[in-house]
Amino acid sequence: MRKLLSFLILSLLTLVVVHAQFDQMIQPAKMEHVVIKQFEDDGLAHFSYAVHVDDQMYLVDPGRNPQPYYDYAQSVNANIIGVINTHPHADFVSSHLEIHQTKGATIFVSELVGAGYPHQAFDEGDVIEMPKGVRLKAIHTPGHSPDGISIIVEENGKDVAVFTGDTLFIGDVGRPDLRESVGNIMAQREELAKMMYFSTREKLMLLDEDVIVYPAHGAGSLCGKAISAEKSSTIGQEKLTNYALQEMSEEEFVALLLKDQPFIPKYFPFNVDINKEGAPAYQASKLGVNRLDKNHPVTEVVKIIDGRNQELYKTSHLPDAINIMNGAKFETWLGSLIAPETAYYLVAESKESLEELISKAAKIGYEPFIKGAFVYNDQGGERMDFFDQKSFDANPEAFTIIDIRNAGEVAEGKIFEQAINIPLPELADRVGEIPTNKPIVVHCGTGYRSAAGSSIIQNALKTFQVLDMSSFILEYK
């Protein structure tokens, strides 16, 4: 009876909290004439947008492949007349230059970017006039980058939405540590964190509470550390719930923002530079990749990225290949484990999968570095042992356990107390720290990253048994 009473009290308290949160939901502004279409790239947790009134359309922060925007514009009988980039993105390559060259669209970007392509400056106070009383207004919102802008959508004299780029996310703000050595303007992370404090308090938080917030990234992006799974919000809702927008001093804000930021992938600075100059046309660049015959022999010492499922990889693979499976985060881990300008072979299990992997590589500008791409199904390659859960459970102490999750994940709780934490991005340089007196078991959080991690360790420690716990990790969490 006591347990039942406790359960009922807990349930009632939960309902009260949920009801209170619902009461606090800020209703978004209504839009009469302007239409905003959100595009989502799950692999990079990237949001881009089309804003249109009648037959005039502007794009905000478009991804590498322009075709989805062309298709949408055609479906609503609109012309793409402008592209606005909130900043030179680090985590994906934008198609702004190609859209300009193909559609004649004007590129709008802050003059602070120092863009190497034809553009029109779009800075604080600049306005783009659209039909039926709609205006797009630029405000300078540095913090994630020193040249970042946000774009306010105004309809009939009222602000109704804001594209916040990588300045304000849902539940978070952009990380301030990506522009210390790249871009037209470089700034130390502490300096950018102070800029973020100003941009949020003196710019974005002063907008009406019902203004809709449309960020450039969602949950899973490495441009923030605590981004919500929600795809849009309101200024008022963010002021209520976003940890970074709560009342605090500048000093407290800077310390909070700099704490526990995720690792910086190798490709981020490279993408900033590409976006500053403009990328080559998407389809033409992909067509330039050298497709090779099935099971092409690789005789030279060169990186090999094997995008097949881990079962196929472990059954047979090329020597020293890294198993980055064709999953939701392939492009992120490709650009995290392979440095820009590094030549590599790309391997897949089918022609369809191979084309998909080439497209994903192109999203981060890595398609020119592919030395050759081919299908692999040869059964005569190298093998890896499969993880035996019964043997592991019978005596976990008989194994060296390597946890390749990021430090922030481990801080939230270790899965195996005796595990050694070496984050995947650091693994290739720290393999020498791994004891080799026992078989090695590698785990991550879901089983995706451990395929890559175990292959890296096996390539370095040829004669030792390395086991990928894979998705079995889910049974221990």
Coordinates of all heavy atoms in Angstrom, one line a residue, residues 213-265:
V213 N 12.5 30.7 -33.4 CA 13.9 30.5 -33.5 C 14.1 29.4 -34.4 O 13.7 28.2 -34.2 CB 14.5 30.3 -32.1 CG1 16.0 29.9 -32.3 CG2 14.4 31.4 -31.2
Y214 N 14.9 29.6 -35.5 CA 15.3 28.6 -36.5 C 16.8 28.5 -36.5 O 17.5 29.4 -37.1 CB 14.8 28.9 -37.9 CG 13.3 28.8 -38.1 CD1 12.5 29.9 -38.4 CD2 12.6 27.5 -37.9 CE1 11.1 29.8 -38.6 CE2 11.3 27.4 -38.1 CZ 10.5 28.5 -38.4 OH 9.1 28.4 -38.6
P215 N 17.4 27.5 -35.9 CA 18.8 27.4 -35.8 C 19.4 26.6 -37.0 O 18.6 26.0 -37.8 CB 19.1 26.6 -34.5 CG 17.9 25.6 -34.5 CD 16.7 26.4 -35.1
A216 N 20.7 26.6 -37.2 CA 21.3 25.9 -38.3 C 21.7 24.4 -37.9 O 22.0 23.7 -38.8 CB 22.6 26.6 -38.7
H217 N 21.5 24.1 -36.6 CA 21.8 22.7 -36.2 C 20.9 22.2 -35.2 O 20.3 23.0 -34.4 CB 23.3 22.6 -35.8 CG 24.3 22.8 -36.8 ND1 24.4 22.0 -37.9 CD2 25.1 23.9 -37.1 CE1 25.3 22.5 -38.7 NE2 25.8 23.6 -38.2
G218 N 20.8 20.9 -35.1 CA 20.0 20.2 -34.1 C 20.8 19.2 -33.3 O 22.0 19.2 -33.4
A219 N 20.1 18.4 -32.5 CA 20.8 17.4 -31.7 C 21.7 16.5 -32.5 O 21.4 16.0 -33.5 CB 19.7 16.5 -31.0
G220 N 22.9 16.3 -31.9 CA 23.9 15.5 -32.6 C 25.0 16.3 -33.3 O 26.1 15.7 -33.6
S221 N 24.8 17.6 -33.5 CA 25.8 18.4 -34.1 C 27.0 18.7 -33.1 O 26.7 18.8 -31.9 CB 25.2 19.7 -34.5 OG 26.2 20.7 -34.9
L222 N 28.2 18.7 -33.6 CA 29.3 19.0 -32.8 C 29.6 20.5 -32.7 O 30.6 20.9 -32.2 CB 30.6 18.3 -33.3 CG 30.6 16.8 -33.2 CD1 31.7 16.1 -33.9 CD2 30.6 16.4 -31.7
C223 N 28.7 21.3 -33.2 CA 28.8 22.8 -33.0 C 28.2 23.3 -31.7 O 28.3 24.5 -31.4 CB 28.1 23.5 -34.2 SG 28.9 23.3 -35.8
G224 N 27.7 22.4 -30.9 CA 27.2 22.7 -29.6 C 27.4 21.5 -28.7 O 27.8 20.4 -29.1
K225 N 27.1 21.6 -27.4 CA 27.3 20.5 -26.5 C 26.1 20.0 -25.8 O 26.1 18.9 -25.2 CB 28.3 20.9 -25.3 CG 27.8 22.1 -24.5 CD 28.9 22.4 -23.4 CE 28.4 23.6 -22.5 NZ 29.4 23.9 -21.5
A226 N 24.9 20.7 -26.0 CA 23.7 20.2 -25.3 C 22.5 20.6 -26.1 O 21.5 21.1 -25.6 CB 23.6 20.8 -23.9
I227 N 22.6 20.4 -27.4 CA 21.5 20.9 -28.3 C 20.3 20.0 -28.2 O 20.4 18.7 -28.2 CB 22.0 20.9 -29.8 CG1 23.2 21.8 -29.9 CG2 20.9 21.5 -30.7 CD1 23.8 21.8 -31.3
S228 N 19.1 20.6 -28.1 CA 17.9 19.8 -28.0 C 17.5 19.1 -29.3 O 17.9 19.5 -30.4 CB 16.7 20.8 -27.6 OG 15.5 20.2 -27.7
A229 N 16.6 18.1 -29.1 CA 16.1 17.4 -30.3 C 15.0 18.2 -31.0 O 14.6 17.8 -32.1 CB 15.6 16.0 -29.9
E230 N 14.5 19.3 -30.4 CA 13.5 20.1 -31.0 C 14.1 20.8 -32.2 O 15.3 21.1 -32.2 CB 12.9 21.1 -30.0 CG 12.2 20.5 -28.8 CD 11.0 19.7 -29.2 OE1 10.3 20.1 -30.1 OE2 10.8 18.6 -28.6
K231 N 13.3 21.1 -33.2 CA 13.8 21.6 -34.5 C 13.5 23.2 -34.6 O 14.1 23.8 -35.4 CB 13.1 20.9 -35.7 CG 13.4 19.4 -35.7 CD 12.8 18.7 -36.9 CE 13.1 17.3 -36.8 NZ 12.5 16.5 -37.9
S232 N 12.7 23.7 -33.7 CA 12.5 25.1 -33.6 C 12.0 25.5 -32.2 O 11.6 24.6 -31.5 CB 11.5 25.6 -34.7 OG 10.2 25.0 -34.5
S233 N 11.9 26.7 -31.9 CA 11.5 27.2 -30.6 C 11.0 28.6 -30.7 O 10.7 29.1 -31.8 CB 12.6 27.0 -29.6 OG 12.2 27.3 -28.3
T234 N 10.9 29.3 -29.6 CA 10.6 30.7 -29.6 C 11.7 31.4 -28.7 O 12.2 30.7 -27.8 CB 9.2 31.0 -29.1 OG1 9.1 30.6 -27.8 CG2 8.1 30.4 -30.0
I235 N 11.8 32.7 -28.9 CA 12.7 33.4 -28.0 C 12.3 33.3 -26.5 O 13.1 33.0 -25.7 CB 12.8 34.9 -28.4 CG1 13.5 35.1 -29.8 CG2 13.5 35.7 -27.3 CD1 15.0 34.7 -29.8
G236 N 11.0 33.4 -26.3 CA 10.5 33.3 -24.9 C 10.8 31.9 -24.3 O 11.2 31.8 -23.2
Q237 N 10.6 30.8 -25.1 CA 10.8 29.5 -24.6 C 12.3 29.3 -24.3 O 12.6 28.6 -23.3 CB 10.3 28.5 -25.7 CG 10.2 27.1 -25.2 CD 9.2 26.9 -24.0 OE1 8.2 27.6 -24.0 NE2 9.4 26.1 -23.1
E238 N 13.1 29.8 -25.2 CA 14.6 29.7 -24.9 C 15.0 30.4 -23.7 O 15.8 29.9 -22.9 CB 15.4 30.1 -26.1 CG 15.3 29.2 -27.3 CD 15.5 27.7 -27.0 OE1 16.6 27.4 -26.6 OE2 14.6 26.9 -27.0
K239 N 14.4 31.6 -23.4 CA 14.7 32.3 -22.2 C 14.3 31.5 -21.0 O 14.9 31.7 -19.9 CB 14.1 33.7 -22.3 CG 14.7 34.6 -23.3 CD 13.9 35.8 -23.6 CE 13.7 36.8 -22.5 NZ 12.9 38.0 -23.0
L240 N 13.3 30.7 -21.1 CA 12.8 29.9 -20.0 C 13.6 28.7 -19.7 O 13.9 28.3 -18.6 CB 11.3 29.5 -20.2 CG 10.2 30.6 -20.0 CD1 8.9 30.0 -20.5 CD2 10.2 31.0 -18.5
T241 N 14.1 28.1 -20.8 CA 14.6 26.7 -20.7 C 16.1 26.5 -21.1 O 16.7 25.5 -20.8 CB 13.8 25.7 -21.5 OG1 13.8 26.1 -22.9 CG2 12.3 25.7 -21.1
N242 N 16.6 27.4 -21.9 CA 18.0 27.3 -22.4 C 19.0 27.6 -21.3 O 19.0 28.7 -20.8 CB 18.2 28.2 -23.6 CG 19.5 27.9 -24.3 OD1 20.5 27.7 -23.7 ND2 19.5 27.9 -25.6
Y243 N 19.8 26.7 -20.9 CA 20.8 26.9 -19.8 C 21.7 28.1 -20.0 O 22.0 28.8 -19.0 CB 21.7 25.6 -19.6 CG 22.8 25.6 -20.6 CD1 24.1 26.1 -20.3 CD2 22.6 25.0 -21.8 CE1 25.1 26.0 -21.2 CE2 23.7 24.9 -22.7 CZ 24.9 25.4 -22.4 OH 25.9 25.4 -23.3
A244 N 22.0 28.4 -21.3 CA 22.9 29.5 -21.5 C 22.3 30.9 -21.5 O 23.0 31.9 -21.5 CB 23.6 29.3 -22.9
L245 N 21.0 30.9 -21.4 CA 20.3 32.2 -21.4 C 19.7 32.6 -20.1 O 19.0 33.6 -19.9 CB 19.1 32.2 -22.4 CG 19.4 31.8 -23.9 CD1 18.2 32.1 -24.8 CD2 20.6 32.6 -24.4
Q246 N 20.1 31.8 -19.0 CA 19.7 32.1 -17.7 C 20.5 33.2 -17.1 O 21.6 33.6 -17.6 CB 19.8 30.9 -16.8 CG 19.0 29.7 -17.3 CD 17.6 30.0 -17.8 OE1 16.8 30.5 -17.0 NE2 17.2 29.8 -19.0
E247 N 20.0 33.8 -16.1 CA 20.7 35.0 -15.5 C 22.0 34.6 -14.8 O 22.1 33.7 -14.0 CB 19.8 35.6 -14.4 CG 20.4 36.9 -13.8 CD 19.4 37.6 -12.9 OE1 18.2 37.3 -12.9 OE2 19.9 38.5 -12.1
M248 N 23.1 35.2 -15.3 CA 24.4 35.0 -14.8 C 25.4 36.1 -15.2 O 25.1 36.8 -16.2 CB 25.0 33.6 -15.2 CG 25.2 33.5 -16.7 SD 25.7 31.8 -17.3 CE 24.0 31.1 -17.5
S249 N 26.5 36.2 -14.6 CA 27.5 37.2 -15.0 C 28.2 36.8 -16.2 O 28.2 35.6 -16.6 CB 28.5 37.4 -13.8 OG 29.3 36.3 -13.7
E250 N 28.9 37.7 -16.9 CA 29.7 37.4 -18.0 C 30.7 36.4 -17.7 O 31.0 35.4 -18.4 CB 30.3 38.6 -18.6 CG 31.2 38.4 -19.8 CD 31.9 39.6 -20.3 OE1 32.9 40.0 -19.7 OE2 31.4 40.2 -21.3
E251 N 31.4 36.5 -16.5 CA 32.4 35.6 -16.1 C 31.9 34.2 -15.9 O 32.5 33.2 -16.3 CB 33.0 36.1 -14.8 CG 34.2 35.2 -14.3 CD 34.8 35.8 -13.0 OE1 34.3 36.8 -12.4 OE2 35.8 35.2 -12.6
E252 N 30.7 34.1 -15.3 CA 30.1 32.8 -15.1 C 29.7 32.2 -16.4 O 29.8 30.9 -16.6 CB 28.8 32.9 -14.2 CG 29.1 33.3 -12.8 CD 27.9 33.7 -12.0 OE1 26.9 34.2 -12.6 OE2 27.8 33.4 -10.8
F253 N 29.2 33.0 -17.3 CA 28.8 32.5 -18.7 C 30.0 31.9 -19.4 O 29.9 30.9 -20.0 CB 28.1 33.7 -19.5 CG 27.7 33.3 -20.9 CD1 26.5 32.7 -21.1 CD2 28.6 33.5 -21.9 CE1 26.1 32.4 -22.4 CE2 28.2 33.2 -23.2 CZ 27.0 32.6 -23.5
V254 N 31.1 32.7 -19.4 CA 32.3 32.2 -20.1 C 32.8 30.9 -19.6 O 33.1 30.0 -20.4 CB 33.4 33.3 -20.1 CG1 34.7 32.8 -20.6 CG2 33.0 34.6 -20.8
A255 N 32.8 30.8 -18.3 CA 33.3 29.5 -17.7 C 32.3 28.4 -18.0 O 32.8 27.2 -18.3 CB 33.4 29.7 -16.2
L256 N 31.0 28.6 -18.0 CA 30.1 27.6 -18.3 C 30.1 27.2 -19.8 O 30.1 26.0 -20.1 CB 28.6 28.1 -18.0 CG 27.5 27.2 -18.2 CD1 27.6 25.9 -17.4 CD2 26.1 27.9 -18.0
L257 N 30.3 28.1 -20.7 CA 30.3 27.8 -22.1 C 31.6 27.1 -22.5 O 31.5 26.2 -23.4 CB 30.2 29.1 -22.9 CG 30.0 29.0 -24.4 CD1 28.8 28.1 -24.7 CD2 29.8 30.4 -25.0
L258 N 32.7 27.4 -21.9 CA 33.9 26.7 -22.3 C 34.1 25.3 -21.7 O 34.9 24.5 -22.2 CB 35.1 27.6 -21.8 CG 35.3 28.9 -22.5 CD1 36.5 29.7 -21.9 CD2 35.4 28.8 -24.0
K259 N 33.2 25.0 -20.7 CA 33.3 23.7 -20.0 C 32.7 22.6 -20.9 O 31.6 22.7 -21.4 CB 32.6 23.8 -18.7 CG 32.7 22.5 -17.9 CD 32.0 22.6 -16.5 CE 32.1 21.3 -15.7 NZ 31.3 21.4 -14.5
D260 N 33.5 21.5 -21.0 CA 33.0 20.2 -21.6 C 32.5 20.3 -23.0 O 31.6 19.7 -23.5 CB 31.8 19.7 -20.7 CG 32.2 19.3 -19.3 OD1 33.4 18.9 -19.2 OD2 31.3 19.4 -18.4
Q261 N 33.2 21.2 -23.8 CA 32.9 21.2 -25.2 C 33.4 19.9 -25.9 O 34.4 19.4 -25.5 CB 33.5 22.4 -25.9 CG 32.8 23.7 -25.6 CD 31.4 23.9 -26.1 OE1 30.9 23.0 -26.9 NE2 30.6 24.9 -25.7
P262 N 32.7 19.4 -26.9 CA 33.2 18.2 -27.6 C 34.5 18.4 -28.3 O 34.9 19.6 -28.5 CB 32.0 17.8 -28.5 CG 31.3 19.1 -28.7 CD 31.4 19.9 -27.5
F263 N 35.1 17.3 -28.8 CA 36.3 17.4 -29.6 C 36.0 18.2 -30.9 O 34.9 18.3 -31.4 CB 36.8 16.0 -29.9 CG 36.0 15.3 -30.9 CD1 36.4 15.2 -32.2 CD2 34.9 14.6 -30.6 CE1 35.7 14.6 -33.2 CE2 34.1 13.9 -31.5 CZ 34.6 13.9 -32.8
I264 N 37.1 18.7 -31.5 CA 37.0 19.4 -32.8 C 37.4 18.4 -33.9 O 38.6 18.1 -34.0 CB 37.9 20.7 -32.8 CG1 37.4 21.6 -31.7 CG2 37.8 21.4 -34.1 CD1 38.3 22.8 -31.5
P265 N 36.5 18.0 -34.8 CA 36.9 17.1 -35.9 C 38.0 17.8 -36.8 O 38.1 19.0 -36.9 CB 35.6 17.0 -36.7 CG 34.6 17.2 -35.7 CD 35.1 18.3 -34.8

